[in-house]
Amino acid sequence: LFEKCKGQHILKNPALVDSIVDKAGLKPTDTVLEIGPGTGNLTKRLLEAGVKAVIAIELDPRMVLELNRRFQGTPLSSRLKVIQGDVLKCDLPYFDICVANIPYQISSPLTFKLLSHRPIFRCAVIMFQHEFAMRLVAKAGDSLYCRLSVNVQLLSRLSHLIKVGRNNFRPPPKVDSSVVRIEPRKPLPPVSFKEWDGLVRLCFNRKNKTLGSIFKQKKVLALLEKNYKTMQSLQLTSDAETGDEKMSVDDVALLAHMVDELNMETGDEKDDDEMEMDDADMVGEGRAFFKEKIMGILQQGDFAEKRASKLSQVDFLYLLSLFNNAGIHFS
Ligand code: SAM
């Protein structure tokens, strides 16, 4: 059970370990972060590739012991530092590159933790569960395209490197895997992540509905109107903080808080009924006017008949800018 909950599936195929290390494009000056080194098959190859240092974070004290024993007294040991701990709970050290065969249950929080780390790393080459990997790299129109794809792709460029069958591991896991490259975008797109995620979350809540029907929902209109009024009153008292926000490190760090939700995301759509609320608080001409304003913005960008499942990064950025320019905010 211990092994199972830690996702301890050891890579057994040396050719595969070699090709993961090859794809990382390591330089002699690189400090490499490895997460979950286990018994050290990947660690050994990383050290042999001649990098400056490997810092390995491993949760299981027995593995840490075994790892230290494996390299003790060898010339490789002076460039290896093993930290015992939970990678999600500890402060990450400086690193240039992350190379890891991770336990799959931490995929989403780990990805966002890496992307919010500063200074930002050059690239990460990580083994994920195949389906998670396909969601990461999915493009508009692909069946696995979801909030995870859009949010990770806002912060990084992704590429699928190698599909890995379950028999490359001991014990074999129940699912196939894929190695993915993550290259953080430099600079980050000039948007507030809170705004971005607010919009994307609304749109993907019912990703196959048209934006016209999503933004007609009373609950959505009520939320946007509330934000609109808050913004207006803020603008009256102070101009600070209401201007164009750029994505800050703190913003990116916020990502860590949404990851549990993303983990649970199944791609299932919510029931229409669940999204509706009664009309009681949605009366009056003010509301009708506000709804017209929102519909006007959607039409302006030709978005009313479009669906989130088909919208690209650029589409979402454009839509967000149309809303924000009209004083409509999502956070
Ligand atoms: N890298 C090794 C390999 O390729 O053979 C082992 C990979 S195994 C899939 C995952 C490793 O991550 C296990 O050694 C496990 O103990 C460790 N682990 C699990 N959860 C962790 C966490 N939260 N932080 C750090 N290591 C963790």
Side-chain angles (χ1 to χ4, degrees):
L1 190 71
F2 194 58
E3 278 68 20
K4 209 171 168 190
C5 68
K6 286 197 172 54
Q8 288 173 335
H9 300 282
I10 303 301
L11 258 178
K12 284 290 177 192
N13 177 350
L16 181 60
V17 179
D18 283 346
S19 65
I20 292 173
V21 173
D22 268 2
K23 303 261 180 195
L26 299 169
K27 298 180 186 168
T29 48
D30 281 341
T31 296
V32 182
L33 174 68
E34 189 189 355
I35 293 146
T39 54
N41 292 346
L42 181 57
T43 322
K44 181 162 182 281
R45 287 289 202 280
L46 288 169
L47 288 165
E48 286 168 351
V51 294
K52 185 172 156 203
V54 175
I55 304 176
I57 304 179
E58 170 60 57
L59 181 62
D60 186 344
R62 298 171 313 171
M63 291 288 189
V64 172
L65 215 66
E66 185 166 339
L67 203 63
N68 281 327
R69 220 180 275 142
R70 180 170 184 176
F71 294 103
Q72 216 168 41
T74 75
L76 301 178
S77 70
S78 61
R79 287 181 288 121
L80 172 64
K81 182 175 173 197
V82 185
I83 298 172
Q84 198 242 308
D86 181 341
V87 67
L88 295 181
K89 294 195 183 132
C90 63
D91 286 336
L92 297 180
Y94 171 88
F95 64 97
D96 300 289
I97 285 219
C98 174
V99 183
N101 169 23
I102 62 166
Y104 296 152
Q105 63 271 27
I106 65 168
S107 298
S108 195
L110 179 68
T111 302
F112 287 104
K113 178 159 184 167
L114 293 175
L115 286 169
S116 58
H117 181 67
R118 294 295 179 276
I120 197 72
F121 54 94
R122 187 167 85 241
C123 116
V125 172
I126 301 180
M127 177 95 71
F128 292 109
Q129 178 174 339
H130 179 68
E131 189 186 303
F132 184 89
M134 297 322 282
R135 286 170 60 205
L136 280 180
V137 303
K139 293 287 178 211
D142 293 349
S143 63
L144 290 173
Y145 191 56
C146 60
R147 194 173 140 218
L148 174 75
S149 336
V150 179
N151 280 339
V152 177
Q153 290 172 33
L154 177 74
L155 305 172
S156 61
R157 292 175 195 284
L158 293 136
S159 41
H160 181 275
L161 298 178
I162 317 168
K163 176 152 190 214
V164 180
R166 60 196 78 181
N167 291 327
N168 289 288
F169 302 88
R170 290 291 171 277
K174 288 204 181 70
V175 289
D176 290 329
S177 303
S178 277
V179 182
V180 171
R181 180 203 307 280
I182 303 175
E183 275 176 84
R185 288 186 196 274
K186 289 176 215 166
L188 289 170
V191 293
S192 146
F193 190 81
K194 279 184 266 179
E195 284 286 311
W196 169 268
D197 187 51
L199 170 68
V200 167
R201 180 197 297 248
L202 267 184
C203 296
F204 274 97
N205 222 343
R206 302 156 99 206
K207 71 171 184 174
N208 293 314
K209 294 266 186 244
T210 63
L211 297 191
S213 76
I214 288 174
F215 282 90
K216 259 185 214 133
Q217 291 171 87
K218 297 179 176 72
K219 197 175 172 177
V220 173
L221 286 169
L223 172 77
L224 294 184
E225 190 171 14
K226 189 169 143 254
N227 291 350
Y228 183 67
K229 288 188 170 149
T230 310
M231 274 295 176
Q232 278 190 326
S233 61
L234 278 177
Q235 246 147 13
L236 287 178
T237 50
S238 147
D239 276 344
E241 292 183 308
T242 56
D244 273 354
E245 278 182 61
K246 304 283 181 273
M247 182 145 37
S248 67
V249 173
D250 285 349
D251 255 357
V252 180
L254 267 178
L255 287 164
H257 297 292
M258 47 173 269
V259 291
D260 287 340
E261 271 172 73
L262 283 171
N263 260 341
M264 310 206 352
E265 197 179 282
T266 57
D268 291 345
E269 295 204 10
K270 294 233 164 66
D271 232 328
D272 281 6
D273 295 343
E274 221 180 291
M275 301 294 297
E276 297 301 337
M277 58 183 253
D278 59 55
D279 282 10
D281 65 337
M282 285 298 294
V283 286
E285 281 174 30
R287 289 280 153 91
F289 175 77
F290 190 75
K291 181 174 168 183
E292 284 314 306
K293 182 178 170 77
I294 300 287
M295 293 305 130
I297 295 167
L298 289 180
Q299 269 143 24
Q300 189 189 340
D302 205 13
F303 282 110
E305 297 306 316
K306 303 252 167 75
R307 293 154 214 275
S309 56
K310 300 269 163 58
L311 294 184
S312 67
Q313 292 283 312
V314 174
D315 293 330
F316 277 114
L317 284 168
Y318 178 46
L319 179 58
L320 183 59
S321 74
L322 289 179
F323 275 125
N324 285 175
N325 290 342
I328 307 293
H329 291 272
F330 294 85
S331 61

